[in-house]
């Protein structure tokens, strides 16, 4: 006799919003807040752009390792435990960043942040997909709520970090990290208390493998997205500052990216329903590439604000579209492995992207080259995913 399935959650949107606090901390703050303190850290610690890029490369390496382990961890300890412990690791990593300027220790902290973020993100994505599946008519919308979560982290860090740096002056980057640690410690409380375990069972007693070959070109496109977006998210605050933007301009730019993410569930649900191949992802990625390219046409406030909005509304939707792709094309038992495979492709791209872009910037002496390469990779990713058809798996 089969064990009964857990009942659908009474408030799926609320539960998924609580789940989204994992990537809010792990990605929105743990990864992306680094861009806000990077200029001050580079100046205070004497880093080159390559060294600055390496900090995001090591974070991405941790993310890749976490993605490789995530499915196994979820099978052994459960989805809810992976979400909670992964997010706790991110909070610890933020505290470590505040304690020292030592390059090796900071690198280890960024590595830990990546490990925790990936474990929590993959497990949380699989759990969100299970909850969404219990409400098929609203599934895409519910999934989008999860992937819009990091926007809250970007928005809140954008409203805090630039003004902390302005208030305490040059060399105060470590105070920002303490502020981010405190913010994350507050945000993690609902995640620790929510009744996730009632919906945390894997959908099959024997989790299935993810068939990679049929989705290879899609994975290549997602790899290009990982390599392309990270250059923008790593160096754009430095670009705004170099263009003469002070704390207010930096805060406004970063906050616009975060705010734009909140439009994702409503703006893209029709596009996500267009096709079960790669067309939806290709459309969203094209918009993402356009947003990344806008600063190349000038430094005006209008262009920079437009770039932040266009990039932001598409960025998180790309990530959400990959989970929708897995959910449409693979059985529920393969979802954790499928989301992990997507995250691995993404992780390899974002591991290689920052240090390569940093080296290009050091060689040519201008961040404009980094943005050119970023936009080009995003556009290539859109082209690749456009060729992915709907799968016909047995």
């Amino acid at each position: 006799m089969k064990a009964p399935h857990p009942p659908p959650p009474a408030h799926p949107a609320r539960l998924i919003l609580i789940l989204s606090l994992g990537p809010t901390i792990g990605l929105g703050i743990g990864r992306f807040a680094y861009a806000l303190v990077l200029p001050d850290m580079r100046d205070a610690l004497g880093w080159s752009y390559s060294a600055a890029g390496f900090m995001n490369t090591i974070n991405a390496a941790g993310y890749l390792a976490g993605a490789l382990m995530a499915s196994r961890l979820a099978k052994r300890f459960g989805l809810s435990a992976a979400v909670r412990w992964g997010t706790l690791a991110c909070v610890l990593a933020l505290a470590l960043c505040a304690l020292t300027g030592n390059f090796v220790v900071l690198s280890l902290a960024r590595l830990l942040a990546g490990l925790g973020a990936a474990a929590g993100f993959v497990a949380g994505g699989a759990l969100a997909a299970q909850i969404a599946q219990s409400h098929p008519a609203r599934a895409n919308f519910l999934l989008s709520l999860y992937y819009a979560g990091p926007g809250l982290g970007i928005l809140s860090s954008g409203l805090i970090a630039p003004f902390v740096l302005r208030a305490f002056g040059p060399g105060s980057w470590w105070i920002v990290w303490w502020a981010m640690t405190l913010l994350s410690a507050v945000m993690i409380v609902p995640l620790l208390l929510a009744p996730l375990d009632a919906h945390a069972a894997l959908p099959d007693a024997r989790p299935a493998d993810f068939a990679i070959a049929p989705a290879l070109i899609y994975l290549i496109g997602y790899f290009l997205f990982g390599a392309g977006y990270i250059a923008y998210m790593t160096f754009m605050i430095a670009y705004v500052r170099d263009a003469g933007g002070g704390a207010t301009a930096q805060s406004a730019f970063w906050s616009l990216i975060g705010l734009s993410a909140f439009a994702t569930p409503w703006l893209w649900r029709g596009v996500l329903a267009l096709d079960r191949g790669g067309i939806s992802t290709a459309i969203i990625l094209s918009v993402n590439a356009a947003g990344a390219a806008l600063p190349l046409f000038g430094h005006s406030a209008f262009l920079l604000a437009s770039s932040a909005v266009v990039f932001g509304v598409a960025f998180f939707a790309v990530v959400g579209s990959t989970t929708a792709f897995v959910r449409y094309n693979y059985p529920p038992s393969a979802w954790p492995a499928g989301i992990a495979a997507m995250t691995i492709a993404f992780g390899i791209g974002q591991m290689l992207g920052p240090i390569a872009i940093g080296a290009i910037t050091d060689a040519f002496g201008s961040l404009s080259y980094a943005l050119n390469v970023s936009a080009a990779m995003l556009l290539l990713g859109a082209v690749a995913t456009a060729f992915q058809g709907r799968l016909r798996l047995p």
Side-chain angles (χ1 to χ4, degrees):
M1 182 176 176
K2 290 185 177 180
H5 290 287
H11 302 286
R14 182 173 66 188
L15 193 57
I16 288 179
L17 284 171
I18 292 173
L19 266 178
S20 76
L21 291 171
T24 294
I25 295 168
L27 300 177
I29 298 173
R31 170 171 299 153
F32 299 133
Y34 172 66
L36 295 164
V37 291
L38 183 152
D40 189 60
M41 292 182 77
R42 206 171 75 83
D43 291 345
L45 301 175
W47 290 351
S48 65
Y49 278 109
S50 296
F54 176 79
M55 281 295 166
N56 255 5
T57 292
I58 195 70
N59 177 260
Y63 195 82
L64 175 59
L68 288 166
M69 297 187 299
S71 184
R72 199 170 300 169
L73 289 172
K75 291 175 189 176
R76 181 168 181 181
F77 300 107
L79 293 173
S80 61
V83 171
R84 288 173 172 139
W85 283 105
T87 308
L88 281 168
C90 293
V91 177
L92 175 60
L94 287 167
L96 285 175
C97 287
L99 290 172
T100 179
N102 181 276
F103 191 85
V104 174
V105 177
L106 284 170
S107 297
L108 291 174
R110 297 293 290 161
L111 180 72
L112 177 63
L115 280 165
F121 181 77
V122 172
L127 188 50
Q130 289 180 31
I131 296 169
Q133 189 70 2
S134 66
H135 296 75
R138 304 172 61 204
N140 283 333
F141 173 78
L142 291 170
L143 272 176
S144 295
L145 292 178
Y146 179 74
Y147 292 106
L152 176 61
I154 291 175
L155 173 62
S156 54
S157 59
L159 291 173
I160 295 171
F163 299 107
V164 170
L165 288 168
R166 185 171 70 181
F168 291 94
S172 58
W173 56 268
W174 60 276
I175 301 176
V176 175
W177 284 122
W178 277 125
M180 296 299 101
T181 303
L182 178 61
L183 177 63
S184 299
V186 172
M187 286 184 170
I188 200 174
V189 173
L191 191 63
L192 297 177
L193 298 179
L196 301 180
D197 294 311
H199 313 283
L202 290 174
D204 193 284
R206 293 167 296 181
D209 292 329
F210 177 81
I212 291 175
L216 183 59
I217 193 165
Y218 191 91
L219 289 166
I220 291 171
Y222 201 38
F223 160 82
L224 289 166
F225 169 66
Y229 99 89
I230 195 65
Y232 184 95
M233 292 296 285
T234 300
F235 294 116
M236 267 307 296
I237 288 296
Y239 185 82
V240 171
R241 192 187 76 156
D242 291 350
T248 302
Q250 293 171 40
S251 175
F253 179 86
W254 206 245
S255 298
L256 277 173
I257 295 177
L259 277 172
S260 299
F262 296 121
T264 295
W266 291 270
L267 183 64
W268 295 111
R269 56 182 171 180
V271 174
L272 291 172
L274 284 177
D275 189 87
R276 295 185 177 183
I279 295 299
S280 297
T281 302
I283 292 170
I284 300 168
L285 251 177
S286 298
V287 175
N288 197 229
L294 282 174
L296 302 175
F297 297 99
H299 299 91
S300 71
F302 174 77
L303 274 174
L304 291 175
S306 298
S307 172
V309 170
V310 174
F311 186 94
V313 296
F315 170 51
F316 299 104
V318 174
V319 183
S321 72
T322 64
T323 297
F325 176 83
V326 171
R327 188 173 61 84
Y328 281 137
N329 290 284
Y330 291 86
S333 56
W335 289 350
I339 295 170
M342 295 292 167
T343 307
I344 289 164
F346 176 78
I348 294 171
Q350 67 176 4
M351 182 175 68
L352 299 177
I355 194 158
I357 297 299
I360 290 170
T361 304
D362 285 333
F364 291 96
S366 172
L367 281 169
S368 295
Y369 291 96
L371 296 179
N372 273 298
V373 174
S374 174
M377 285 191 289
L378 292 171
L379 186 58
L380 285 172
V383 172
T385 53
F387 284 97
Q388 176 68 60
R390 183 176 178 178
L391 305 188
R392 298 289 190 272
L393 298 177

